[in-house]
């Protein structure tokens, strides 16, 4: 019973959260979040400029 209580209380420790964020960071690096977000921002920018030109021409 004490072992079960210890496992449920493990998420309250600093070591648990450090390990959690380390795994999250490693996973983020694995899927290359920064490169994907920059590509998405570039796609948004390339799509926004012609849209603004169309809106300005319509006025």
């Amino acid at each position: 019973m004490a072992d079960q209580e210890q496992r449920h209380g493990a998420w309250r420790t600093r070591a648990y959260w450090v390990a959690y964020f380390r795994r999250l960071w490693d996973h983020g690096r694995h899927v290359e979040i920064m490169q994907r977000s920059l590509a998405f921002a570039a796609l948004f920018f390339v799509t926004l400029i012609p849209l603004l030109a169309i809106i300005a021409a319509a006025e």
Side-chain angles (χ1 to χ4, degrees):
M1 187 67 146
D3 185 44
Q4 186 178 14
E5 291 175 4
Q6 187 178 15
R7 279 186 290 166
H8 287 296
W11 63 271
R12 294 184 184 120
T13 63
R14 185 175 189 275
Y16 174 83
W17 288 108
V18 168
Y20 175 78
F21 284 115
R22 173 65 63 189
R23 286 192 310 269
L24 187 64
W25 179 261
D26 289 340
H27 180 69
R29 289 186 62 201
H30 179 69
V31 296
E32 299 175 355
I33 289 177
M34 185 58 91
Q35 284 81 10
R36 288 178 187 250
S37 62
L38 287 175
F40 184 70
L43 181 64
F44 173 75
F45 185 73
V46 167
T47 308
L48 180 68
I49 297 303
L51 180 63
L52 291 176
I54 291 171
I55 291 173
E59 280 188 359

